[in-house]
Amino acid sequence: MSAVATIVLLLLVSVPRNHAFQPHPSLRRGVLSLRSTAESTEVITGPITGTKTNIKYPTARGSQVDSRLIVDYRSKNRGVSGPVASSSPLIALRLSHILFASHELAAQTLERLTKAEWDFEEMAKVVSNCVETREEGGGIGWVNLSEDFSADDNIDGSVPETITNPNKHLDLILPPSARKQILSTPTKPGDIILVESYRGVHLVQVVDIMIDVRKLSYLKAKRTEKLKGDTVIIQNEMELVKNSDRNDFHAKGNKLASVLGCSLSRDKLDLTYKIETMGCQMNLSDSERIEGQLMKLGIRPLDENEMIEVQIQTKNGGSKTKQQKKEPDVVVLNTCSIRDHAEQKVYSYLGPHTKRKRAGEDITIIVAGCVAQQEGQSLLRRIPEIDLVMGPQYANRIGDLLEDVANGNQVVATEVSHIMEDSTKPRRQSSTCAWVNVIYGCNERCTYCIVPTTRGVEQSRPVESIVDEVKELVSQGFKEVTLLGQNIDAYGRDMIPKRKFSDLLRIVGDTPGLERLRFVTSHPRYMSLGCIDAVADTKSACEYFHIPFQSGSNDILKAMGRGHTREKFLQIIDRVRERLPDAGISADVIVGFPGETEQDFLDTLSIMNKVKFDNVNTAAYSPRPNTPAANWNNQVSEDVKQDRLRRINELNLKHATERRARMMDRVVEVLVEERNVKVPTQVMGRTTHNYIVYLDGDIDKLRGKLVNVKVEKCQRYYLVGKITEEEVTKANI
């Protein structure tokens, strides 16, 4: 045994028995039973929490959510091959394991893994008793969920030869008895469960999940087909070829079909795409993943200056050649539904492209994001030229959905689904700073917010996947990473066992070569003091927090369903000021929420005066569809909303100016990101406080560099300075 392995085992056995980690009883048994109600109902009882979950609409107001149950594990035909095979979209799980001789060592290791003190892959290499997978960090590979366990197992845990076993090649690594426990347990990526077999005790980690997203999508044929024998009827300038069944119609002559290989033609066309992104950082990150998928398919980004020659008819009946800008072949609109009239913006933007399509141009129109999730099939009724409507959870699976589009269908993909790991790399918009999603969705029930409906249930990514992505970014030269989550402080609470965001911050922040680490968005209800301590103790973590408090009135906070009070929020601010006195703090606020009185509004201003934020994103309340507050009869008038918005913006501007003024004559460290678009001789970067700084310099030489800048001018929302050799000035608080 190696020296490292010996040390690890000594650490394990040194844990007092009375403090040893004890998994949940259902995990020790290895099987989480689905105690469902009647088979036809969509409401089931969660095996861990005992709470009721609506599978189809897990984010319905008032319901509790178990993310493991949003995709059906209960298919009657699971494990059956042939024409009655499982209709479940779940296909396979990618697993890793660590094999132990004793239950106690496995449980103690699980405790350390839960706290992110140890890495699963490294532990597998050091202590696993499985010779076959040890060198691969415990990697087992993909396990097919269609395995049939209906017959009695043999003594050694094997399955009789008469039973179809797609996982037979894994029998000597993860015996059928262990697989049976795992495949009958609803799991999600990141979960670690303890199961036993004749080989010993396994800690099995779910690394990824494979889903047939096409089974979760709604298809509508764009055109009808009339086939008589082998005769092909051409309609709408599209030739349809009949194969063995209805699902094998292929389009010939369609550009997208040619690129995706769905066409009978072997000619590869040069297709371009253009993406328009609305909304928050989550949407920007989704667009990067969509771009990565499109480029993998062989579709390139449109050069805005690209020209093409076209033939136009002259008045005398002749024709002439004209140069005009090339239009995109694939148009993607990634939408946001936070603000009012979001749907109208979609219709307005798509207008010119739908006009092109009605004129006969071969163009693919895609609507993605939150409006797509919110409106679903109704978008097709309003704009029949749309080819694909897809929710945010399908951003990294657009290639699968486009196959059906290329086959001549309109596709709507808005059903709830597990988030799978990216099969390709996102196309980053920056070469210096990158987004990294750590948790998707939101389980909160704020009465004004549509996000839980459009973004779905919370789903945390495995720690290992996040760390691997950050390491890859650093190896590519990225200097700053921002961890993203709609409610990032909730990271890990949906996992088995539960994890802490503060632990994730520390382990990601310790990535060699990472210069800066940021995260958004925090929620006062869940933000822990440990998170603030993790930022203070982690060298790469920036001294900046974005903590939306939405209102300073406890009555309004209660009506909003925020789950926190003004006192709780101010306690968080006090801890930030205690540990990081120079930190930048920003927030979000809504004015004019239903029932908000003048005193409620003044309570919000009082918080702003007490904290003095570096910036506050302000908005007048906007009723959103499918949210409780939209139907309340105590709406605030538009005149009052606009007056309060004006007053709060004036105060916000005053505080932002004061906060930046304190930086005058200080030397700050700036990470240079891009050119100043308004002054080409200047570059733009940010401080650790998230202040924008402009300085003279050559972007080709300075991009991605950390430079010390002496501040010479302080404006409302930015600083101006010059590069200096002086040391960074410590804050004089």
Side-chain angles (χ1 to χ4, degrees):
M1 180 179 291
S2 70
V4 175
T6 303
I7 293 172
V8 170
L9 288 176
L10 286 174
L11 286 172
L12 287 173
V13 299
S14 67
V15 178
R17 288 180 179 270
N18 58 334
H19 293 297
F21 176 80
Q22 293 298 317
H24 190 280
S26 61
L27 292 182
R28 290 200 295 271
R29 291 194 301 271
V31 179
L32 304 181
S33 60
L34 286 174
R35 300 185 299 276
S36 64
T37 54
E39 191 68 21
S40 60
T41 185
E42 291 175 330
V43 178
I44 61 177
T45 301
I48 301 297
T49 62
T51 56
K52 293 187 181 300
T53 299
N54 186 307
I55 293 177
K56 189 170 181 60
Y57 301 106
T59 54
R61 303 283 167 182
S63 68
Q64 297 294 321
V65 181
D66 186 340
S67 60
R68 289 163 195 81
L69 305 178
I70 63 176
V71 177
D72 187 12
Y73 272 78
R74 303 173 300 161
S75 174
K76 294 179 181 179
N77 296 326
R78 178 163 301 289
V80 179
S81 60
V84 293
S86 171
S87 60
S88 171
L90 287 171
I91 299 174
L93 301 176
R94 184 155 66 89
L95 305 177
S96 292
H97 81 145
I98 306 174
L99 181 63
F100 296 90
S102 76
H103 189 284
E104 184 178 15
L105 287 179
Q108 292 170 4
T109 301
L110 182 57
E111 182 179 22
R112 300 297 182 93
L113 292 170
T114 301
K115 295 178 180 179
E117 294 176 352
W118 290 342
D119 176 83
F120 193 98
E121 183 177 333
E122 293 302 317
M123 284 300 299
K125 291 179 179 179
V126 173
V127 302
S128 181
N129 290 334
C130 182
V131 177
E132 293 83 359
T133 64
R134 186 188 302 148
E135 293 300 318
E136 300 298 324
I140 293 173
W142 290 100
V143 177
N144 194 312
L145 269 70
S146 65
E147 185 169 359
D148 187 0
F149 298 103
S150 59
D152 293 333
D153 294 343
N154 293 330
I155 296 177
D156 63 355
S158 63
V159 176
E161 292 293 334
T162 56
I163 301 298
T164 302
N165 181 4
N167 300 317
K168 187 174 180 60
H169 61 289
L170 299 175
D171 284 357
L172 298 179
I173 299 174
L174 189 67
S177 60
R179 295 201 302 271
K180 182 176 181 180
Q181 297 174 62
I182 296 164
L183 299 189
S184 60
T185 301
T187 54
K188 62 174 292 298
D191 286 351
I192 303 176
I193 59 178
L194 188 152
V195 298
E196 298 182 15
S197 75
Y198 72 89
R199 295 194 69 197
V201 182
H202 307 255
L203 282 185
V204 180
Q205 181 186 46
V206 181
V207 180
D208 201 358
I209 191 166
M210 186 182 296
I211 294 177
D212 184 350
V213 298
R214 298 171 72 180
K215 286 186 177 181
L216 294 171
S217 62
Y218 163 85
L219 269 63
K220 177 183 178 183
K222 290 183 184 177
R223 48 190 65 81
T224 59
E225 300 83 42
K226 294 181 180 179
L227 297 172
K228 295 181 180 179
D230 294 329
T231 303
V232 178
I233 307 298
I234 299 176
Q235 296 181 328
N236 298 334
E237 299 182 356
M238 183 75 75
E239 184 178 345
L240 298 165
V241 180
K242 183 70 166 63
N243 287 337
S244 59
D245 60 53
R246 174 63 185 84
N247 292 327
D248 286 332
F249 275 111
H250 293 290
K252 180 180 178 181
N254 177 285
K255 290 181 181 178
L256 185 63
S258 176
V259 170
L260 298 185
C262 300
S263 171
L264 296 181
S265 171
R266 296 185 179 182
D267 296 331
K268 283 289 184 179
L269 301 179
D270 177 29
L271 255 64
T272 61
Y273 70 82
K274 181 180 180 181
I275 297 181
E276 181 75 18
T277 305
M278 303 174 177
C280 64
Q281 298 98 326
M282 296 292 289
N283 269 23
L284 292 170
S285 178
D286 288 346
S287 289
E288 289 183 342
R289 293 189 293 153
I290 290 172
E291 284 205 73
Q293 289 275 302
L294 293 176
M295 294 185 72
K296 183 181 180 182
L297 294 173
I299 308 173
R300 65 177 177 85
L302 175 69
D303 182 348
E304 296 290 345
N305 298 317
E306 189 172 349
M307 305 294 291
I308 59 173
E309 290 186 354
V310 294
Q311 295 289 326
I312 60 173
Q313 298 293 323
T314 60
K315 291 182 179 180
N316 59 10
S319 65
K320 66 178 181 179
T321 301
K322 178 184 176 182
Q323 289 275 332
Q324 70 176 33
K325 279 193 173 183
K326 180 176 173 58
E327 297 280 2
D329 301 294
V330 178
V331 174
V332 182
L333 180 59
N334 194 6
T335 60
C336 174
S337 60
I338 293 297
R339 296 288 180 259
D340 200 5
H341 305 303
E343 301 83 4
Q344 282 69 29
K345 291 181 180 178
V346 172
Y347 305 139
S348 175
Y349 176 83
L350 291 181
H353 301 294
T354 58
K355 185 177 179 180
R356 289 174 54 203
K357 194 159 192 173
R358 287 194 296 271
E361 290 191 45
D362 190 351
I363 171 178
T364 301
I365 299 177
I366 301 166
V367 179
C370 295
V371 171
Q373 183 71 30
Q374 172 188 307
E375 298 297 308
Q377 294 182 35
S378 64
L379 278 175
L380 298 185
R381 291 191 290 269
R382 180 74 178 267
I383 311 178
E385 292 80 12
I386 295 175
D387 297 285
L388 170 61
V389 177
M390 68 177 198
Q393 64 268 37
Y394 295 94
N396 62 348
R397 287 299 180 273
I398 188 173
D400 298 327
L401 300 173
L402 284 178
E403 288 186 25
D404 285 320
V405 173
N407 287 338
N409 296 298
Q410 288 177 298
V411 181
V412 177
T414 54
E415 286 295 310
V416 293
S417 173
H418 280 299
I419 303 292
M420 294 174 279
E421 285 296 314
D422 286 348
S423 59
T424 188
K425 295 178 182 178
R427 183 177 187 259
R428 307 288 182 178
Q429 297 301 308
S430 167
S431 59
T432 301
C433 307
W435 313 106
V436 173
N437 293 89
V438 301
I439 179 172
Y440 300 94
C442 181
N443 288 358
E444 295 307 294
R445 298 294 178 271
C446 299
T447 56
Y448 57 84
C449 185
I450 197 173
V451 166
T453 303
T454 58
R455 289 242 164 220
V457 56
E458 287 175 357
Q459 298 185 61
S460 301
R461 290 179 65 195
V463 174
E464 292 79 7
S465 297
I466 297 167
V467 171
D468 287 346
E469 184 173 350
V470 173
K471 287 180 178 178
E472 175 67 18
L473 288 168
V474 171
S475 71
Q476 294 172 9
F478 286 87
K479 299 297 178 65
E480 178 179 297
V481 164
T482 299
L483 304 181
L484 288 182
Q486 210 74 46
N487 177 10
I488 202 163
D489 304 283
Y491 174 81
R493 70 174 178 172
D494 60 318
M495 289 181 168
I496 297 177
K498 291 184 177 180
R499 317 295 166 81
K500 292 181 179 179
F501 178 59
S502 56
D503 292 333
L504 179 68
L505 270 179
R506 295 178 193 275
I507 191 170
V508 173
D510 288 340
T511 303
L514 180 64
E515 298 287 353
R516 288 186 176 181
L517 177 65
R518 302 183 190 272
F519 60 93
V520 288
T521 297
S522 296
H523 193 303
R525 181 179 184 181
Y526 298 101
M527 188 173 185
S528 68
L529 302 184
C531 174
I532 300 168
D533 292 339
V535 174
D537 299 337
T538 303
K539 184 179 179 181
S540 63
C542 292
E543 47 189 333
Y544 168 71
F545 299 87
H546 182 70
I547 320 171
F549 67 98
Q550 304 300 4
S551 176
S553 164
N554 282 338
D555 289 340
I556 296 299
L557 288 172
K558 183 177 181 180
M560 287 179 167
R562 291 287 290 168
H564 68 88
T565 62
R566 63 178 281 133
E567 290 77 19
K568 168 69 182 298
F569 178 78
L570 291 173
Q571 287 175 3
I572 294 172
I573 299 301
D574 289 343
R575 184 56 170 257
V576 172
R577 296 297 189 213
E578 176 188 343
R579 291 302 315 270
L580 294 158
D582 198 34
I585 304 175
S586 62
D588 296 342
V589 167
I590 296 172
V591 300
F593 185 78
E596 184 187 64
T597 65
E598 178 65 14
Q599 185 56 54
D600 293 327
F601 175 67
L602 293 177
D603 288 343
T604 296
L605 296 186
S606 73
I607 278 194
M608 293 184 64
N609 280 316
K610 183 175 180 62
V611 177
K612 293 190 176 180
F613 295 94
D614 296 87
N615 185 44
V616 176
N617 300 318
T618 62
Y621 170 72
S622 169
R624 306 308 300 130
N626 304 317
T627 60
N631 299 318
W632 294 350
N633 58 10
N634 56 347
Q635 303 293 324
V636 176
S637 70
E638 288 301 318
D639 289 344
V640 172
K641 287 182 187 178
Q642 294 307 312
D643 176 65
R644 291 175 182 173
L645 188 61
R646 175 188 57 79
R647 290 156 63 191
I648 200 171
N649 283 340
E650 289 175 354
L651 184 60
N652 180 39
L653 181 59
K654 177 176 179 290
H655 291 160
T657 304
E658 289 177 6
R659 290 290 291 171
R660 282 154 186 77
R662 70 194 175 96
M663 310 301 287
M664 189 67 183
D665 294 327
R666 280 179 57 176
V667 177
V668 293
E669 184 185 67
V670 173
L671 175 60
V672 178
E673 299 178 21
E674 293 296 339
R675 179 181 282 109
N676 181 355
V677 294
K678 294 183 178 179
V679 184
T681 58
Q682 288 186 336
V683 298
M684 181 279 290
R686 285 180 297 160
T687 69
T688 54
H689 320 82
N690 208 38
Y691 293 164
I692 291 176
V693 181
Y694 296 113
L695 57 141
D696 291 333
D698 184 344
I699 187 60
D700 294 326
K701 294 180 180 179
L702 293 178
R703 181 182 281 113
K705 302 291 186 183
L706 286 164
V707 295
N708 289 355
V709 176
K710 185 162 187 177
V711 178
E712 298 179 328
K713 186 178 182 180
C714 300
Q715 295 295 96
R716 294 172 176 178
Y717 291 112
Y718 65 90
L719 309 173
V720 180
K722 65 179 181 181
I723 296 178
T724 180
E725 296 296 326
E726 297 179 43
E727 295 294 321
V728 172
T729 306
K730 291 186 178 180
N732 183 18
I733 305 300

